[in-house]
Amino acid sequence: MEVLLTMLEFLAALVLFFVLGLVSVIVLEAYRRRHNNAHVEAPAIFEDPKSLKQVPCPNIFDPAEKYLSLIIPAFNEEHRLPGALDETMNYLQQRVANDESFSYEVLIIDDGSRDGTKEVAFDFVKKYGVNNVRVILLGKNHGKGEAIRKGMLHSRGELLLMLDADGATKVTDLEKLENQIHAVARKDHHHGDSPAGEATFRTSDIPIVAFGSRAHLEEKALATRKWYRNFLMKGFHLVVLLAAGPGIRDTQCGFKMFTRSAARKLFTNIRLKRWCFDVELVFLCKWFGIPMLEISVNWSEIPGSKVNPLSIPNMLWELALMSVGYRTRIWKISS
C-alpha cells in the first residue's frame, strides 16, 4: 500500500511539474512576442514587374484612395491562384463598367512561396496595371496572419476584404458583407437632420467587421466528415469559445470585410501570425467594442488545403499564447 501511495505521489508531482513547466513556457513565449505587433522583420515591398522598381507603400493611416481593397494571402498557390484571380478580376471589371465611381485594388501577398506564385501574380499586374493589382513580397514564409496583416496595413481602400487564394468563397458574396456594413454604419451614425453631417459621413470612419460564415453548412458537413474530424472541430470550437468568448460561430472562414477604421485598430495590434489570428480578431473586436456581423456565404471545398491534423497543436498553442498574453496584460493594446 505504501508503495502504491508513493507511486501516486510521484505521478502527481510529475504532472504538477509538467503543468508548471508548460505554463512557464507559455508565459515566456507570450513575453517574447509582446512586440510582435510591430512585425518589423517582414517589411512590405511593392515591385512594378515592368520597370522592376519598388513602388512606395501606402499606409493604413493615410486617407483612402480606393473604394475597395481585396487582400489575398498566397503561399505556394501557383495552381489555385489563377482561377481565383480570373473570377475576381472579371467581377471587379464588371462593377467598374456598371459604376464609374467604383474603384478597387487587389493585393496579392506572396508569403515566401517556393513555386511560381510570384510569377502568376505578376502576370496579373502586367495585365491590369500596378495601380489595380499589386504584389507584396514577404521574402520568407511568416504565416497567413502576417500576410493578411501586411496587406491590410498597406492597402488604400475604404473597405478591405480578405479572401483566400483558392476561391472557395464566391467573390460576388462580398456584396452581402458590403451592404450589411453600410446598413449598420448608417444606423450607428447619429447625424440627425443636419445636411453637413450627411455630407461628412463616411462608412470607412466607423469601425465595423463583417465575418463571412459557413455555419449554415455545418449540419451537412457533420454528416459527411469522418468522426474524428468532427471531434477535432467541436473541440477546437470549445477552445475558441473559452479563449475569445461567444459571438461568432465560424471564426475560421477566410472571407472577412473591415472598414478602414476597424482595420487600423485591429491590424496594428494583432500578434498571431498563423492560423489563429482570426480568433485574435474576434478578441480584439470585443476589446474595442467593434460591431461584428456574421453573414452566410457560399463556400465549396477546394482541393489543396494547407490545413491538416498537425495544424491543430499549432492552433492550440497560439490560442494559449493569446489567452495568456492578453489576460496577463503582457500584450498591450494600443488604441
Side-chain angles (χ1 to χ4, degrees), residues 13 18 76 78 90 100 104 111 131 136 145 200 211 215 250 255 264 312 319 323:
F18 174 79
N76 294 340
E78 66 173 338
N90 289 338
E100 292 183 358
Y104 72 88
D111 189 22
N131 187 47
I136 297 180
T200 57
F211 289 73
D250 183 7
F255 201 76
R264 187 181 297 129
I312 299 297
L319 288 176
S323 297

Short mmCIF file of all heavy atoms in Angstrom, two decimals, residues 13 18 76 78 90 100 104 111 131 136 145 200 211 215 250 255 264 312 319 323:
data_model
loop_
_atom_site.label_atom_id
_atom_site.label_comp_id
_atom_site.label_asym_id
_atom_site.label_seq_id
_atom_site.Cartn_x
_atom_site.Cartn_y
_atom_site.Cartn_z
N ALA A 13 3.32 14.56 -8.56
CA ALA A 13 4.40 15.55 -8.62
C ALA A 13 4.87 15.74 -10.05
O ALA A 13 5.18 16.86 -10.48
CB ALA A 13 5.55 15.10 -7.73
N PHE A 18 5.02 19.07 -14.83
CA PHE A 18 4.77 19.25 -16.26
C PHE A 18 3.87 20.46 -16.51
O PHE A 18 4.13 21.28 -17.40
CB PHE A 18 4.12 17.99 -16.84
CG PHE A 18 3.70 18.13 -18.28
CD1 PHE A 18 4.62 18.05 -19.31
CD2 PHE A 18 2.36 18.37 -18.60
CE1 PHE A 18 4.23 18.19 -20.63
CE2 PHE A 18 1.97 18.51 -19.92
CZ PHE A 18 2.91 18.43 -20.94
N ASN A 76 2.63 29.20 -52.02
CA ASN A 76 2.68 28.07 -52.96
C ASN A 76 1.31 27.83 -53.61
O ASN A 76 0.75 26.74 -53.54
CB ASN A 76 3.17 26.80 -52.25
CG ASN A 76 4.60 26.90 -51.79
OD1 ASN A 76 5.37 27.74 -52.29
ND2 ASN A 76 5.00 26.06 -50.86
N GLU A 78 0.52 28.54 -57.03
CA GLU A 78 0.60 28.75 -58.47
C GLU A 78 -0.52 28.05 -59.24
O GLU A 78 -0.89 28.48 -60.34
CB GLU A 78 1.96 28.30 -59.01
CG GLU A 78 2.22 26.81 -58.93
CD GLU A 78 3.51 26.41 -59.63
OE1 GLU A 78 3.97 27.17 -60.50
OE2 GLU A 78 4.06 25.35 -59.30
N ASN A 90 -12.68 39.53 -63.20
CA ASN A 90 -13.86 39.66 -64.06
C ASN A 90 -15.00 40.36 -63.32
O ASN A 90 -15.68 41.23 -63.88
CB ASN A 90 -14.32 38.28 -64.54
CG ASN A 90 -13.37 37.66 -65.56
OD1 ASN A 90 -12.61 38.38 -66.22
ND2 ASN A 90 -13.41 36.35 -65.68
N GLU A 100 -18.99 53.94 -62.70
CA GLU A 100 -17.72 54.63 -62.93
C GLU A 100 -17.07 55.11 -61.63
O GLU A 100 -15.85 55.34 -61.58
CB GLU A 100 -17.92 55.81 -63.88
CG GLU A 100 -18.28 55.41 -65.30
CD GLU A 100 -18.40 56.61 -66.22
OE1 GLU A 100 -18.23 57.75 -65.73
OE2 GLU A 100 -18.64 56.42 -67.43
N TYR A 104 -11.02 50.02 -57.17
CA TYR A 104 -10.57 48.85 -56.42
C TYR A 104 -9.07 48.66 -56.55
O TYR A 104 -8.41 49.26 -57.41
CB TYR A 104 -11.28 47.59 -56.95
CG TYR A 104 -10.77 47.16 -58.31
CD1 TYR A 104 -9.68 46.29 -58.44
CD2 TYR A 104 -11.36 47.63 -59.48
CE1 TYR A 104 -9.19 45.91 -59.69
CE2 TYR A 104 -10.89 47.26 -60.73
CZ TYR A 104 -9.80 46.40 -60.83
OH TYR A 104 -9.32 46.04 -62.05
N ASP A 111 3.67 34.97 -49.53
CA ASP A 111 4.22 34.67 -48.20
C ASP A 111 5.39 33.69 -48.30
O ASP A 111 5.38 32.61 -47.71
CB ASP A 111 3.11 34.10 -47.32
CG ASP A 111 3.53 33.95 -45.86
OD1 ASP A 111 4.47 34.64 -45.44
OD2 ASP A 111 2.90 33.13 -45.16
N ASN A 131 -1.56 49.94 -60.56
CA ASN A 131 -2.50 50.73 -59.77
C ASN A 131 -3.68 49.90 -59.30
O ASN A 131 -4.30 50.21 -58.28
CB ASN A 131 -3.00 51.93 -60.58
CG ASN A 131 -3.86 52.87 -59.75
OD1 ASN A 131 -3.49 53.23 -58.63
ND2 ASN A 131 -5.00 53.27 -60.28
N ILE A 136 2.81 42.07 -52.84
CA ILE A 136 3.70 42.30 -51.70
C ILE A 136 4.52 41.04 -51.50
O ILE A 136 3.98 39.95 -51.37
CB ILE A 136 2.93 42.63 -50.42
CG1 ILE A 136 2.12 43.92 -50.59
CG2 ILE A 136 3.87 42.75 -49.22
CD1 ILE A 136 1.33 44.32 -49.35
N GLY A 145 -1.65 34.84 -41.14
CA GLY A 145 -2.00 36.03 -40.36
C GLY A 145 -1.10 37.20 -40.66
O GLY A 145 -1.55 38.34 -40.82
N THR A 200 -20.46 64.85 -44.51
CA THR A 200 -19.17 64.40 -44.00
C THR A 200 -19.17 62.94 -43.58
O THR A 200 -18.13 62.40 -43.22
CB THR A 200 -18.75 65.25 -42.78
OG1 THR A 200 -19.76 65.17 -41.78
CG2 THR A 200 -18.56 66.71 -43.18
N PHE A 211 -18.02 39.17 -40.83
CA PHE A 211 -17.41 37.85 -40.93
C PHE A 211 -18.24 36.98 -41.88
O PHE A 211 -19.41 36.70 -41.59
CB PHE A 211 -17.37 37.17 -39.55
CG PHE A 211 -16.39 37.76 -38.59
CD1 PHE A 211 -16.63 38.99 -37.99
CD2 PHE A 211 -15.23 37.07 -38.26
CE1 PHE A 211 -15.73 39.54 -37.09
CE2 PHE A 211 -14.32 37.60 -37.35
CZ PHE A 211 -14.56 38.84 -36.78
N ALA A 215 -21.33 28.59 -41.14
CA ALA A 215 -22.03 27.90 -40.06
C ALA A 215 -23.31 27.25 -40.55
O ALA A 215 -23.72 26.21 -40.03
CB ALA A 215 -22.33 28.88 -38.92
N ASP A 250 -18.43 30.89 -36.76
CA ASP A 250 -17.38 30.44 -37.67
C ASP A 250 -16.28 31.50 -37.72
O ASP A 250 -16.35 32.45 -38.49
CB ASP A 250 -17.96 30.20 -39.07
CG ASP A 250 -16.92 29.67 -40.05
OD1 ASP A 250 -15.80 29.36 -39.62
OD2 ASP A 250 -17.23 29.57 -41.25
N PHE A 255 -13.07 34.79 -45.31
CA PHE A 255 -13.77 35.82 -46.08
C PHE A 255 -14.32 36.84 -45.09
O PHE A 255 -15.38 36.65 -44.51
CB PHE A 255 -14.90 35.16 -46.88
CG PHE A 255 -15.38 35.95 -48.07
CD1 PHE A 255 -14.66 36.01 -49.24
CD2 PHE A 255 -16.60 36.61 -48.02
CE1 PHE A 255 -15.12 36.71 -50.34
CE2 PHE A 255 -17.08 37.32 -49.12
CZ PHE A 255 -16.33 37.37 -50.28
N ARG A 264 -7.57 49.56 -39.10
CA ARG A 264 -6.49 50.34 -38.47
C ARG A 264 -6.32 49.93 -37.00
O ARG A 264 -5.20 49.73 -36.52
CB ARG A 264 -6.83 51.83 -38.57
CG ARG A 264 -5.73 52.77 -38.12
CD ARG A 264 -6.19 54.21 -38.26
NE ARG A 264 -6.47 54.54 -39.65
CZ ARG A 264 -7.60 55.10 -40.08
NH1 ARG A 264 -8.58 55.35 -39.23
NH2 ARG A 264 -7.76 55.39 -41.35
N ILE A 312 -3.61 21.35 -35.77
CA ILE A 312 -4.38 21.51 -34.53
C ILE A 312 -3.48 21.86 -33.34
O ILE A 312 -3.79 22.81 -32.60
CB ILE A 312 -5.20 20.25 -34.24
CG1 ILE A 312 -6.21 19.99 -35.37
CG2 ILE A 312 -5.92 20.37 -32.90
CD1 ILE A 312 -7.25 21.07 -35.53
N LEU A 319 -3.61 29.76 -29.41
CA LEU A 319 -4.72 30.18 -28.55
C LEU A 319 -4.27 30.34 -27.11
O LEU A 319 -4.70 31.27 -26.41
CB LEU A 319 -5.87 29.18 -28.65
CG LEU A 319 -6.66 29.17 -29.96
CD1 LEU A 319 -7.70 28.06 -29.95
CD2 LEU A 319 -7.34 30.52 -30.19
N SER A 323 -4.41 33.84 -25.01
CA SER A 323 -5.11 33.95 -23.73
C SER A 323 -4.20 34.49 -22.63
O SER A 323 -4.56 35.40 -21.89
CB SER A 323 -5.69 32.59 -23.33
OG SER A 323 -6.64 32.15 -24.26
#
